[in-house]
Amino acid sequence: MGFAAALLSVAIISLLAAAPAAAQGKTGQVTVFWGRHKDEGSLREACDSGLYSMVIMSFLDVYGGSYYHYHLDLSGHSTAGMGAAIKRCQFLGVPVSISIGGFGGAYSLPTNASALALFDHLWNTYFGGSLNDDTRRRPFGDAWLDGVDMFLDHATPAEHYSTLALELAKHNIRAGDGKLLHLTATPRCGFPDARVKEALDTGIFERVHVRFYDDPDCAAGFSAVEWRKWTAAYPFTKFYVGLPASPQAARSGFTEPGALRRTVLPVAQTAANYGGVMVWDRYFDKRSNYSGSIKSWV
């Protein structure tokens, strides 16, 4: 890590240490992904459920080759009125983040310039950038989102997500008005995940949701071995156990609520930087009530 990145890491760690007590320790936090199914219900409904401590909207596809194009894919959800829903979630104490990447292969950050261009798009479209520039479209109006998540299924180690992370962190420090920008990642369970390793190695990520599903390294679900590798590698980052909300939500890795309580959480919670559980996704969770079943244990 370079000198500038090291200084930035210290600043971010200081910010996190000053965060409200509710963000520290074993507080039963549940994060959910929203935006992959039109009939999963509204964003407002998800926040009003009282089940979640963070909602991550998915996905923003990013193209960074010879031209720049950004595509917000919320599976047919209308953005009309969504700014008010975001503000409602924030009023309830539920931050709303946007996840970049996703399952498709049509996104990349091949150069520093493309990473900085993506930052510019994110900052001015979803965060505290210019609200008056007619050339920029803000789908949520004057509502600010709360964070950026990296869900990189098709990135390569040579891409420049660390540049993006550092730029977001710089603006986090200068955000003002007591508004933190939550920087999170959602890697596959096998440690390390080369797609996001360089970004995570900056040491400035607040949360990591490890996906213990749809991965040959964790075909049976939660792996204590991989969990310990992740939590030991980034001791200043909060870690979440990523699980599907039902057997239909993923090809592999579903863990029954009872098994989660008996075998997974006793191991996961031994990590000093345990943060909670991430559930994939709101559509399946709404039908199975998985979060409702596990919330009091996590």
Side-chain angles (χ1 to χ4, degrees):
M1 186 189 305
F3 180 69
L7 287 177
L8 193 55
S9 296
V10 172
I12 294 297
I13 291 165
S14 298
L15 277 172
L16 296 179
Q24 309 299 319
K26 300 175 177 63
T27 57
Q29 295 192 7
V30 178
T31 293
V32 72
F33 275 79
W34 176 92
R36 299 318 311 140
H37 302 270
K38 187 176 181 179
D39 53 352
E40 67 195 322
S42 68
L43 175 65
R44 182 183 183 117
E45 180 187 44
C47 294
D48 281 345
S49 72
L51 293 171
Y52 312 117
S53 56
M54 175 179 277
V55 176
I56 302 179
M57 303 171 68
S58 54
F59 291 107
L60 178 74
D61 297 327
V62 293
Y63 299 77
S66 58
Y67 65 95
Y68 304 131
H69 174 69
Y70 312 102
H71 174 228
L72 178 64
D73 178 10
L74 297 179
S75 303
H77 285 286
S78 172
T79 58
M82 202 171 286
I86 291 166
K87 292 179 181 180
R88 166 68 176 175
C89 293
Q90 293 164 339
F91 173 78
L92 294 172
V94 182
V96 181
S97 290
I98 187 168
S99 189
I100 61 172
F103 299 114
Y107 55 87
S108 63
L109 286 181
T111 64
N112 274 330
S114 63
L116 294 175
L118 174 56
F119 163 77
D120 184 66
H121 173 77
L122 287 167
W123 185 251
N124 289 293
T125 306
Y126 302 105
F127 294 94
S130 173
L131 301 177
N132 301 314
D133 187 343
D134 291 337
T135 65
R136 300 187 189 277
R137 177 176 178 267
R138 292 182 63 92
F140 310 138
D142 64 353
W144 285 31
L145 293 182
D146 296 285
V148 175
D149 179 73
M150 295 187 183
F151 191 114
L152 307 178
D153 251 17
H154 296 282
T156 69
E159 295 184 59
H160 293 259
Y161 289 96
S162 60
T163 299
L164 174 62
L166 289 166
E167 197 66 22
L168 287 165
K170 290 177 188 176
H171 284 70
N172 189 10
I173 292 171
R174 299 201 299 266
D177 298 326
K179 195 171 182 66
L180 280 174
L181 192 158
H182 302 283
L183 186 57
T184 68
T186 306
R188 295 189 182 186
C189 79
F191 178 87
D193 186 338
R195 304 164 188 82
V196 73
K197 182 180 186 301
E198 185 176 343
L200 290 177
D201 283 349
T202 61
I204 59 178
F205 280 69
E206 176 186 331
R207 308 178 187 188
V208 170
H209 322 109
V210 183
R211 284 184 279 158
F212 290 100
Y213 58 92
D214 284 351
D215 189 333
D217 288 325
C218 301
F222 179 77
S223 165
V225 172
E226 299 303 324
W227 175 256
R228 292 184 179 116
K229 290 178 183 177
W230 278 108
T231 55
Y234 306 103
F236 298 109
T237 298
K238 290 291 185 183
F239 277 83
Y240 288 65
V241 180
L243 299 169
S246 73
Q248 294 75 37
R251 294 184 299 273
S252 65
F254 176 69
T255 303
E256 293 280 356
L260 180 74
R261 182 181 187 181
R262 292 189 305 271
T263 64
V264 174
L265 292 178
V267 175
Q269 291 175 339
T270 61
N273 50 345
Y274 164 83
V277 169
M278 178 277 283
V279 173
W280 180 270
D281 58 7
R282 171 61 179 165
Y283 172 83
F284 293 102
D285 196 37
K286 186 177 178 180
R287 283 150 181 78
S288 68
N289 191 36
Y290 191 76
S291 291
S293 299
I294 68 172
K295 186 174 176 62
S296 62
W297 308 330
V298 304

